[in-house]
Structure formats: C-alpha cells, structure tokens
C-alpha cells in the first residue's frame, strides 16, 4: 500500500481519542468521528491537554504540538472519512453495533482503504463478513492509554491478506509500538488472559475473600503488577470488562468464563469505573 496519509477514527471515547492523538502526533491527518458531540468535545480537550503536557515537559516542540493539533479534525458526519487510507473503529464493544458500522464504512471508504477494529474480543472474521472487502479487514488492538502503552495486538481474520497485515504492522511500528500477532479467537491474547484474572478478582471480592484494597495490594506487591486488577478494571471500564467476559463465555463455551454477578451488578447500577467517577472505587 502507498504511504498512509490520512486516517479515520470512529468512536471518540477513551481509546478513539488516544488513537487519534497518536496518529496526529506521528504526522498523519486524522478525521475523528463520533455520534455523540459531547464525546468529540471531550476528545478534543483530551488531545490538546495531552499535547500541551508533552510541550511543557520538552518532549515535543511548540511547533510540532501545534502541527499535531491542526492535523486532527473532528466530525459528526461519517462520510468525512471517505478519503482515509485506514479507518480504525473504536466504538462500543457490541458485535451488532460494530457490524452495522462496518457495513456502512464499506460503502463510504475508498476501495483501497483498510478497515481496522480496535475490538478487545469480537471476531474479526465476523466483522469482515458484512463487508465486500474481507481481505482488507483486520484487528488493530491498542492498549489503554494508546499514546503511552507500547503494544499493539494485530489480529488477522480468516480472509485478511498479507498486504493488509504488512501495512497495518508498518503503521503500528510508525506509532513506535511493538506488535504481537494473534489468531482470531475470543479475547485474542491479552484479554484471553487478563479478563479471567479481573473476573476472578471480582469473585474474590464477591465471596468475601478479602477487601478490594487487599486484593489489589496482593496482586500489585505479590506479583509485581503496576496496578491491582480491580483498579485496572475501573480504568478499562466495567462495561467493557463485562462485554469481553460475555464474549469469552459465549465464544469459548466454558462456564469458567461466566461473568461474576458483582461485575454485572456494578454495570447495571451505572458504576462503570473512572469514566463515570465510580466503579469498584469511588473517584468523586
Ligand atoms: P468508550 O465508551 O470510552 O467510547 C466509545 C465511543 O464510541 C463513545 O464516545 C460513543 O459515543 C461512540 N460510539 C458508539 N457507537 C457509535 C457509532 N455507531 N458511531 C460512532 N461512534 C459511536 O469506549 P472505549 O473504552 O474507548 O472502547 C472502545 C473500543 O475499544 C471497544 O471495542 C473496546 O473493547 C476497545 N478497547 C478498550 C480498551 C479499554 O481499556 N477501555 C482497551 C483496548 C480496546
């Protein structure tokens, strides 16, 4: 594929805003789309605050910071993404919603464009199946927060071409990331291992094994994790964790992946983690 000059990002939440920032800071023009105008204003604020902090710490010159901000444009009109070379989807973790979007993107995007999904767990082959370009559909799973975390997990669907894989890998490396490659199974590599651990931490809390603080301190100091699993769940978003557990449970067909009732209850109560000010912990 020719050099990637423009990227479309769909979904301006935690992940989409970070991906847009990463692309803009690496010299690529970005159209960021979200259906919610408030999400777009939050994304713009997040990006300008992040760029300002890089400038004030001396990691980026004032001119490079201003250029990065100019390269990012927000839109509530999906059609503005029509000239993008790559479109990265980072909307809600729900297969039916993502499929509807992929079918729309297939009609809007130029014929050569790659359609990538930042999904944490949903089958890339199934998302590709609603398009007429399954060979150009791929998983590009960034870690949270995208500008800081060093890894991108690339997931090839059943029909993803070698060319799509090489272009996506080259893009991830242009972002300065290390790439790992997963086959298209529920949760891929990282969430296949991480989410059952987080779910087990919820079970430990639910069954009264210990307090939330002791569960987190145990895993932080006992296994050298930078963050305890319950703190990490709040950081990821409890709704995202629950969606992933449901996909692991349905896709792997084993009761050991059943979401913990306490996780379900928190999500039902709107305790979605840091982004809502309350999850396992209260941040208000
Ligand atoms: P989020 O809730 O912060 O943001 C999702 C955004 O998508 C919202 O702003 C919402 O308005 C927008 N949206 C929903 N439907 C849309 C549509 N049809 N068109 C346009 N915009 C739409 O969620 P997030 O944490 O950024 O997660 C997004 C994706 O990234 C999910 O697939 C998730 O599994 C994946 N992911 C999340 C993390 C994490 O730690 N949170 C890490 C890696 C990958």
């Amino acid at each position: 594929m020719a050099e990637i000059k423009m990227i479309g990002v769909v979904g301006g939440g935690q992940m989409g805003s970070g991906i847009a920032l990463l692309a803009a800071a690496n010299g690529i023009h970005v159209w960021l789309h979200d259906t919610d105008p408030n999400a777009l204003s939050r994304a713009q604020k997040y990006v300008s605050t992040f760029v300002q902090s890089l400038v004030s710490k001396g990691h980026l010159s004032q001119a490079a910071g201003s250029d990065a901000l100019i390269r990012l444009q927000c839109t509530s009109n999906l059609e503005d993404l029509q000239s993008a070379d790559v479109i990265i989807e980072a909307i809600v973790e729900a297969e039916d919603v993502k499929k509807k979007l992929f079918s729309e993107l297939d009609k809007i995007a130029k014929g050569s464009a790659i359609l990538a999904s930042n999904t944490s767990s949903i089958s890339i082959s199934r998302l590709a199946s609603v398009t007429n370009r399954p060979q150009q559909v791929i998983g590009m799973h960034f870690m949270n927060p995208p500008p800081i975390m060093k890894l991108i997990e690339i997931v090839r669907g059943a029909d993803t071409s070698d060319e799509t894989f090489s272009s996506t890998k080259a893009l991830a490396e242009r972002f300065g990331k290390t790439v790992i490659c997963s086959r298209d199974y529920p949760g891929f590599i990282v969430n296949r291992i991480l989410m059952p651990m987080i779910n087990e931490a919820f079970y430990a809390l639910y069954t009264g094994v210990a307090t939330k603080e002791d569960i987190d301190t145990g895993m932080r100091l006992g296994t050298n994790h930078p963050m305890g699993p319950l703190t990490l769940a709040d950081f990821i978003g409890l709704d995202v964790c629950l969606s992933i557990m449901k996909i692991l449970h349905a896709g792997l067909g084993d009761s050991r992946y059943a979401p913990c009732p306490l996780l379900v209850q928190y999500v039902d109560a709107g305790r979605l983690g840091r982004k809502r000010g309350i999850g396992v912990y209260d941040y208000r």
Side-chain angles (χ1 to χ4, degrees):
M1 189 195 219
E3 198 203 343
I4 292 169
K5 294 201 174 115
M6 183 177 290
I7 283 187
V9 178
V10 187
Q14 296 196 86
M15 296 303 293
S17 53
I19 295 166
L21 164 61
L22 197 55
N26 281 285
I28 302 173
H29 288 271
V30 185
W31 275 106
L32 175 62
H33 164 78
D34 200 294
T35 43
D36 176 2
N38 294 326
L40 289 177
S41 333
R42 279 195 302 269
Q44 231 155 3
K45 193 164 171 234
Y46 163 79
V47 171
S48 53
T49 308
F50 199 101
V51 167
Q52 281 316 319
S53 80
L54 290 178
V55 170
S56 57
K57 285 179 193 153
H59 297 320
L60 205 62
S61 71
Q62 186 71 53
S66 307
D67 287 349
L69 292 179
I70 290 166
R71 280 192 287 267
L72 173 65
Q73 286 173 284
C74 291
T75 177
S76 47
N77 180 9
L78 191 63
E79 297 203 354
D80 282 333
L81 279 58
Q82 63 189 352
S83 21
D85 302 304
V86 176
I87 300 181
I88 304 173
E89 167 278 312
I91 66 167
V92 58
E93 186 74 350
E95 185 171 326
D96 52 343
V97 189
K98 287 196 195 282
K99 274 184 169 164
K100 184 166 175 286
L101 176 68
F102 268 77
S103 157
E104 285 172 45
L105 288 176
D106 189 37
K107 294 185 190 97
I108 290 166
K110 61 183 183 185
S112 59
I114 291 175
L115 305 182
S117 175
N118 183 47
T119 178
S120 305
S121 55
I122 295 170
S123 162
I124 298 303
S125 309
R126 288 208 297 271
L127 296 180
S129 73
V130 301
T131 73
N132 291 311
R133 59 178 92 195
Q135 68 287 353
Q136 285 158 244
V137 177
I138 195 160
M140 192 176 191
H141 181 213
F142 293 76
M143 306 294 130
N144 186 10
I148 293 176
M149 298 292 280
K150 296 278 174 240
L151 184 78
I152 292 182
E153 187 174 36
I154 294 185
V155 185
R156 292 182 73 148
D159 295 315
T160 309
S161 68
D162 289 344
E163 194 190 349
T164 299
F165 174 73
S166 324
S167 302
T168 309
K169 185 166 179 279
L171 180 63
E173 287 166 352
R174 182 167 169 189
F175 291 157
K177 306 298 184 189
T178 297
V179 167
I180 56 170
C181 186
S182 172
R183 290 176 67 194
D184 190 17
Y185 284 107
F188 317 126
I189 301 170
V190 173
N191 283 313
R192 173 76 179 263
I193 298 166
L194 173 66
M195 281 302 152
M197 184 195 74
I198 286 178
N199 199 44
E200 203 56 39
F202 272 94
Y203 268 114
L205 183 63
Y206 179 58
T207 54
V209 172
T211 62
K212 51 183 182 283
E213 291 83 4
D214 279 359
I215 293 168
D216 273 349
T217 305
M219 293 305 289
R220 234 171 8 89
L221 303 185
T223 63
N224 232 3
H225 288 194
M227 234 183 246
L230 298 169
T231 303
L232 179 57
D234 273 354
F235 186 67
I236 293 169
L238 300 193
D239 52 336
V240 176
C241 295
L242 178 59
S243 300
I244 298 170
M245 280 315 297
K246 284 180 177 167
I247 288 160
L248 291 180
H249 191 207
L252 298 167
D254 190 323
S255 60
R256 73 189 154 123
Y257 297 108
C260 173
L262 185 63
L263 173 60
V264 176
Q265 193 187 63
Y266 280 176
V267 173
D268 285 347
R271 293 173 65 155
L272 303 187
R274 269 181 181 277
K275 63 185 169 187
R276 288 294 151 80
I278 184 164
V280 179
Y281 294 92
D282 194 338
Y283 304 91
R284 294 167 299 181

